[in-house]
Amino acid sequence: MKTNLVGVLLLIALITSCQTEPSISPTTTTGPEPVPFRMTRDSVLTGTYLGIPIGEGAEPVYTTIQSLQQTKGVTYLNVVSNIFSDLAKLKDRIPLYQYIILDQQQGTDSGVQITIENKAVKSIYLNSGVKLTQWPVLLMANAAVRVGDPIGTLYDKLAVIKGMTTYSNKFERISLQTKNLSTMYDQGMSQSPQWYFMYKTGPDQQDEVQVHFTQGKVSKIAINHYTPY
């Protein structure tokens, strides 16, 4: 009888040891969902919008947009198709911009994005999203474009880099994309078909204003209004 009892206890122990832990559903947490926006669009073909008259030339329009920094909180101006291949012609123009992209004719992940703020290089990224402290990475620090470099040194460094076979193809497309509104007008901007900027119109609301040009004159102003659903 005692032998049978021991056997039963061993069997129970064996069965218990083979049981798996009960499954526990993992606890998941989610952050707030992105706020969905609704866009409505207006177009101005005659008259004036934000002080910008239809038919006005590029230079006075630039002056008006500069004034919107104080009245509307505009902080930037993007210039469409402001693309060049001759670096030598950009020596005096580069300091007027705050966002510059260098790349080959066919866009690449290794294209270089340079952001300028307070008259110095603020950041350097590749198109792939990789953040750099200098470009090219393998050059000596005094020859490469580095975060913190004064804007006044940027052109000379780029000119030297362009002369290097390994990097010369990154100067096939030089995009002066975002204009620094605290600097003077750039005459080359008049060749762009469109400028655009955004500003807040209320809590979670903003307008994107696209100024279209034909032969250097304002031909249309398109406004995209973004509001939450």
Side-chain angles (χ1 to χ4, degrees), residues 43-137:
S43 293
V44 177
L45 299 175
T46 60
T48 300
Y49 186 79
L50 293 179
I52 302 171
I54 299 297
E56 185 65 277
E59 186 167 1
V61 169
Y62 179 73
T63 301
T64 299
I65 294 173
Q66 283 183 305
S67 71
L68 297 178
Q69 294 177 96
Q70 286 72 43
T71 59
K72 296 294 185 181
V74 173
T75 59
Y76 73 91
L77 176 66
N78 278 349
V79 184
V80 174
S81 299
N82 205 27
I83 299 170
F84 310 92
S85 58
D86 188 349
L87 179 65
K89 293 182 179 180
L90 303 179
K91 182 174 183 178
D92 296 327
R93 299 179 64 186
I94 285 176
L96 305 179
Y97 288 81
Q98 62 189 55
Y99 184 55
I100 300 167
I101 303 175
L102 309 174
D103 208 347
Q104 297 164 219
Q105 283 295 342
Q106 298 294 328
T108 67
D109 284 347
S110 56
V112 184
Q113 305 173 19
I114 301 172
T115 300
I116 299 156
E117 189 175 282
N118 297 324
K119 299 182 179 181
V121 175
K122 178 185 179 183
S123 65
I124 305 170
Y125 282 87
L126 298 183
N127 287 347
S128 62
V130 174
K131 185 177 183 179
L132 305 177
T133 56
Q134 72 169 49
W135 179 81
V137 174

Side-chain angles (χ1 to χ4, degrees), residues 204-224:
D204 296 323
Q205 299 178 2
Q206 55 187 349
D207 279 4
E208 179 189 61
V209 180
Q210 302 172 357
V211 183
H212 295 259
F213 293 89
T214 301
Q215 296 181 345
K217 305 286 185 181
V218 178
S219 57
K220 179 178 74 171
I221 301 173
I223 309 100
N224 294 327

